[in-house]
Amino acid sequence: MGSADTLSRIGLAGLAVMGQNLALNIAEKGFPISVYNRTTSKVDETVERARQEGNLPVRGFHDPRSFVLSIQKPRVIIVLVKAGAPVDQTIQTLSVHMEKGDCVIDGGNEWYENTERREKAMSELSLLYLGMGVSGGEEGARHGPSLMPGGSFEAYKNIEDILLKVAAQVPDSGPCVTYIGKGGSGNFVKMVHNGIEYGDMQLIAEAYDVLKSIGKLSNSELHDVFAEWNQGELLSFLIEITADIFSIKDDKGDGYLVDKVLDKTGMKGTGKWTVQQAAELSVAAPTIAASLDSRFLSGLKEERVNAANVFKHGGLSGILSNQFVDKRKLIDDVRQALYASKICSYAQGMNLIRAKSIEKGWDLKLGELARIWKGGCIIRAVFLDRIKKAYDRNPYLANLLIDPEFSKEILDRQAAWRRVVSLAINSGITTPGMCASLAYFDTYRRGRLPANLVQSQRDYFGAHTYERIDASGAFHTEWFKLAKKSKM
Ligand code: 2AM
């Protein structure tokens, strides 16, 4: 049990997996930390871990008052409890002991508006508030996460030295943390990061499906393919762990573990929020939406098994078993399709962030976001460096697709990309993320769309008016009357 004789530099409340690991990380970087948790056994557990992991300066407290008083002023307390009401309850418990200028940092995956509400309520008590996205899972929290703090700039400055050391360090690009912006911007950016993560995982799963179902690659071949991809432009944490997954044998039976895992994907809500926000802001995010829909459909396991039975005589299994595929070519095509699809997915996520930034006046720096995602977090990838450079070249870039480098990369890969998607469609294998990305690209790159017809229909039945390509203003036509006349 700690005493308040020597003050800690910072405090952390909420000692589940992420909290415990982040506390140890902070202590390891030389910042004495006080820790607290509602269930006190976790406090003792954390202190014991700190002792075992090298006598790290972690002091545990069983009551909130002595915990708060053990921290040097202005006090900074990171809260890592379940998002929603538990955060409010924890703030309530702690804030009664806090004083003017002290700060709470919520490190959970919180809905950004909750952060804005809390920041306002805290400022009425002269307390500061930050909502900080933390990505990297257990390992990242312990050894260097990507941190996305938003809210009070003054509060950020109070702990910038800690965050710069605690965050993942990437050679040539620095610590994976930056002050994101005002209000709930840190949470919002973390939310979109998670949406992009959904997209990445879906696209990888589709690459796997095409290679396995059409290319007939074994797990061992899949391991080799992903390991090889991880040496090039696709180098990333998710590709690396995917390669690993294909090498793990089932410890409860024959074969590989991945084949025994039920094909049902769980979710906690940030992907859904991302798609909801995209719709709210009228930003197209079809790849991220496709990844969310795929999770929904994956959940209908029983219905799918039933449907598979209904359609089992549809002839597709014949296509799959009889078609000739050049494995090497397919592997190379899929790599290119994956990369091109990924560019489209990031373009969507970045444009969503920009739209919100404009709406809220957050002035977010997209290149900086790409930089702090280069290490620590789940979507970390060399690819992010290319995104950063694109925004360095032009911070006002309307869409990543038209950046000179990315547009060239897309053009170089489009033939392979189209081959993979067509092959998948003709084989009855679903590649919704790749299809959504391709449709996004094909829609975005066309100077004229069939939207003229939709607008004509709207004016026909609803007198919604239309604009003309050759004159300004709003026009309305009595389509029905003209059509009737022309039929006479
Ligand atoms: P616990 O160990 O006491 O359950 C993840 O669940 C973390 O959130 C845990 O540290 C958990 O504390 C904490 N938590 C969940 N609900 C809480 C609440 N209402 N008040 C305080 N902490 C809470």
Side-chain angles (χ1 to χ4, degrees), residues 450-466 476-477 479-480:
N452 52 328
L453 180 60
V454 177
Q455 193 59 14
S456 301
Q457 291 164 337
R458 293 183 73 240
D459 190 51
Y460 189 125
F461 66 70
H464 294 294
T465 74
Y466 56 90
H476 170 62
T477 295
W479 302 84
F480 178 68

Side-chain angles (χ1 to χ4, degrees), residues 265-434:
T265 314
M267 68 199 100
K268 285 197 177 154
T270 42
K272 188 193 270 186
W273 288 347
T274 305
V275 174
Q276 283 171 333
Q277 279 295 297
E280 282 291 334
L281 291 157
S282 305
V283 173
T287 313
I288 301 173
S291 65
L292 184 68
D293 287 340
S294 294
R295 292 195 184 196
F296 295 153
L297 285 166
S298 82
L300 307 177
K301 174 71 179 176
E302 274 182 40
E303 283 183 46
R304 287 188 289 110
V305 169
N306 188 35
N309 208 26
V310 170
F311 293 104
K312 74 176 173 224
H313 300 302
L316 283 171
S317 55
I319 295 176
L320 276 177
S321 56
N322 295 333
Q323 70 189 352
F324 167 78
V325 275
D326 175 342
K327 262 196 199 183
R328 279 243 61 86
K329 178 141 177 58
L330 182 67
I331 293 166
D332 196 54
D333 277 358
V334 172
R335 176 182 56 76
Q336 296 186 56
L338 177 52
Y339 187 82
S341 300
K342 195 171 147 101
I343 297 174
C344 292
S345 181
Y346 280 68
Q348 296 159 30
M350 286 306 196
N351 279 9
L352 172 54
I353 292 175
R354 172 153 42 209
K356 193 69 181 182
S357 174
I358 291 168
E359 184 200 73
K360 302 285 290 184
W362 282 337
D363 193 25
L364 304 184
K365 306 279 184 288
L366 299 182
E368 261 299 272
L369 301 182
R371 182 188 69 75
I372 65 164
W373 291 343
K374 274 174 62 183
C377 64
I378 303 300
I379 63 170
R380 61 184 182 261
V382 289
F383 169 71
L384 284 157
D385 204 41
R386 307 184 74 75
I387 297 185
K388 179 182 180 306
K389 288 191 176 127
Y391 287 117
D392 284 350
R393 279 190 286 276
N394 177 8
Y396 304 105
L397 188 64
N399 193 302
L400 281 177
L401 298 181
I402 55 163
D403 168 73
E405 295 270 320
F406 281 122
S407 58
K408 185 174 177 310
E409 289 185 341
I410 291 239
L411 286 176
D412 288 348
R413 288 158 184 78
Q414 72 163 327
W417 191 10
R418 292 182 196 285
R419 277 195 297 273
V420 170
V421 167
S422 319
L423 178 67
I425 287 173
N426 289 328
S427 309
I429 296 299
T430 44
T431 51
M434 288 184 184

Side-chain angles (χ1 to χ4, degrees), residues 14-16 37-39 42 80-82 85-86 89-90:
L15 297 169
N37 191 68
R38 181 182 60 176
T39 307
K42 285 192 187 140
L80 265 164
V81 299
K82 240 184 240 156
Q89 283 152 14
T90 306

Side-chain angles (χ1 to χ4, degrees), residues 9-14 19 22 26 33 67 71 74-83 86-88 90-91 94-95 98 101-110 114-115 118-119 122 127-134 146-164 166 177-180 183 186-187:
R9 174 65 205 280
I10 188 168
L12 190 146
L22 191 61
I26 292 170
I33 186 166
F67 164 67
I71 303 162
R75 301 184 183 93
V76 177
I77 298 176
I78 298 176
V79 172
L80 265 164
V81 299
K82 240 184 240 156
V87 176
D88 290 308
T90 306
I91 291 173
L94 300 175
S95 62
M98 297 175 82
D102 290 353
C103 173
V104 167
I105 304 178
D106 174 19
N109 272 331
E110 187 55 274
N114 284 343
T115 291
R118 288 176 191 134
E119 186 183 13
M122 293 285 273
L127 297 173
L128 307 177
Y129 197 78
L130 285 170
M132 179 168 74
V134 180
S146 176
L147 298 171
M148 294 154 249
S152 159
F153 185 63
E154 185 188 343
Y156 171 76
K157 277 291 171 194
N158 288 344
I159 52 149
E160 190 181 33
D161 59 334
I162 301 181
L163 300 184
L164 289 173
V166 162
V177 59
T178 189
Y179 173 69
I180 302 289
N187 295 124

